[in-house]
């Protein structure tokens, strides 16, 4: 993850966008990955949208698949 963040920071300094379309999907109640990680990644990825899935967990695709598909 550290290498990934360093790469994103370097891209940001060079004014480069992420090379593919990207949507960040995070659950606010994730016990495995802090929701702040989503906000941090969004800050490093200009133009990338962050969507929150409420009342779900790290396994949102299992817990609340209808919200993930939405």
């Amino acid at each position: 993850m550290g290498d990934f963040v360093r790469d994103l920071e370097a891209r940001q300094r060079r004014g480069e966008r992420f090379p593919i379309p990207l949507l960040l999907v995070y659950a606010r109640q994730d016990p495995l990955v802090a929701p702040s990680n989503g906000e941090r990644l969004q800050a490093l990825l200009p133009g990338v949208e962050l969507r929150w899935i409420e009342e779900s967990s790290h396994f949102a695709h299992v817990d609340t698949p209808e919200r993930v598909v939405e």
Side-chain angles (χ1 to χ4, degrees):
M1 188 63 171
D3 288 343
F4 182 55
V5 168
R6 282 188 290 280
D7 182 57
L8 292 177
E9 290 169 340
R11 285 179 170 278
Q12 192 177 48
R13 284 191 300 275
R14 293 189 303 263
E16 296 176 7
R17 297 178 67 84
F18 199 67
I20 60 171
L22 181 64
L23 172 66
L24 299 172
V25 178
Y26 275 79
R28 290 192 193 273
Q29 294 80 23
D30 190 331
L32 300 177
V33 177
S36 61
N37 286 344
E39 294 165 341
R40 182 172 181 213
L41 285 175
Q42 184 185 33
L44 293 171
L45 294 159
V48 169
E49 183 179 352
L50 170 61
R51 290 201 191 159
W52 294 103
I53 298 184
E54 303 296 340
E55 299 175 17
S56 196
S57 75
H58 186 75
F59 301 101
H61 62 290
V62 174
D63 297 341
T64 54
E66 68 286 346
R67 291 190 206 139
V68 173
V69 171
E70 183 182 299

